[in-house]
Amino acid sequence: MSRLLQKYRKEVIPALQKEFGIKNVMAVPKVEKVVVNVGIGKIAKDDKAVEKITNDLAKLTGQKPVFRKAKKSIASFKIRQGMNIGLMATLRGKRMYDFMDRLISIALPRSKDFRGIDTKNFDKNGNLNLGINESSIFPEVTYETLKDIFGLEITVTTTARDKQKGIALLRHLGFPIKK
């Protein structure tokens, strides 16, 4: 069992029940899924670079990412409908908790000028959207492949119904959220 999952079950659930006055354990907010997105629009024609990014994202998430295709043609961006413009991996269960643990304890502290996650990054349903400029803050990305540095967008989806519960849940899990 993941260290973060144990923490959720032993510490976070009782703390959230006490904080919000929730009587039923099943009504306590939890993390549903984590979605990791990478845009490859600029280098979509370079097959070797796309393959390296796909391999690096597979190392980061622990599963093979899926290609996302363009829905519409946009001439000014030189994008045609059906063209591969992004990669996405949806994490659930053990892989999700392992990824969040590495994100909290290793990757975010390694990023430059990181002062904490702003509460503006949460939507009205308590979901966190986080953009990372460099994938090199993760230890799985080797320095040999640093020629192709890519940014990624991480969405942590929770079952919280409002922003305050989502912020409280992720704060108790250990996410460095600004006060």
Side-chain angles (χ1 to χ4, degrees):
M1 187 183 303
S2 174
R3 184 177 67 94
L4 204 59
L5 181 58
Q6 284 180 338
K7 181 178 181 178
Y8 173 73
R9 288 184 178 163
K10 290 184 177 156
E11 298 172 23
V12 176
I13 289 176
L16 289 176
Q17 279 183 313
K18 185 178 178 186
E19 187 176 335
F20 293 109
I22 301 170
K23 292 185 175 119
N24 189 352
V25 177
M26 298 304 286
V28 175
K30 63 183 176 201
V31 180
E32 201 172 353
K33 65 183 176 179
V34 173
V35 181
V36 182
N37 292 307
V38 175
I40 57 168
K42 293 178 184 174
I43 58 164
K45 292 182 176 96
D46 187 7
D47 290 336
K48 287 185 180 179
V50 171
E51 186 178 330
K52 280 187 178 182
I53 290 174
T54 305
N55 291 336
D56 283 347
L57 189 59
K59 287 178 189 173
L60 289 179
T61 59
Q63 69 186 38
K64 185 181 175 193
V66 177
F67 281 100
R68 304 306 297 170
K69 298 191 179 295
K71 293 179 182 178
K72 291 198 281 186
S73 297
I74 303 171
S76 59
F77 293 132
K78 296 180 181 171
I79 293 176
R80 300 285 167 252
Q81 185 175 359
M83 194 173 150
N84 291 334
I85 58 167
L87 292 164
M88 178 188 82
T90 303
L91 306 173
R92 288 184 170 87
K94 185 180 181 329
R95 285 188 183 136
M96 172 186 71
Y97 282 107
D98 290 341
F99 179 79
M100 283 194 311
D101 195 16
R102 283 184 283 124
L103 178 70
I104 295 167
S105 58
I106 298 171
L108 290 179
R110 285 176 75 177
S111 64
K112 295 177 187 174
D113 300 327
F114 182 70
R115 304 269 188 266
I117 300 169
D118 199 1
T119 55
K120 292 178 187 173
N121 292 359
F122 286 86
D123 64 5
K124 65 180 180 178
N125 295 326
N127 302 322
L128 171 66
N129 294 304
L130 185 65
I132 295 177
N133 292 334
E134 295 181 1
S135 61
S136 61
I137 62 173
F138 285 94
E140 292 85 9
V141 178
T142 59
Y143 288 105
E144 297 148 5
T145 60
L146 275 183
K147 180 184 155 217
D148 301 314
I149 295 177
F150 58 92
L152 40 105
E153 193 263 335
I154 300 168
T155 303
V156 180
T157 306
T158 64
T159 58
R161 300 248 192 267
D162 59 5
K163 190 173 181 174
Q164 287 77 26
K165 288 182 183 175
I167 291 171
L169 167 66
L170 295 182
R171 191 172 275 147
H172 283 295
L173 280 175
F175 278 81
I177 299 170
K178 292 180 184 176
K179 300 256 182 203

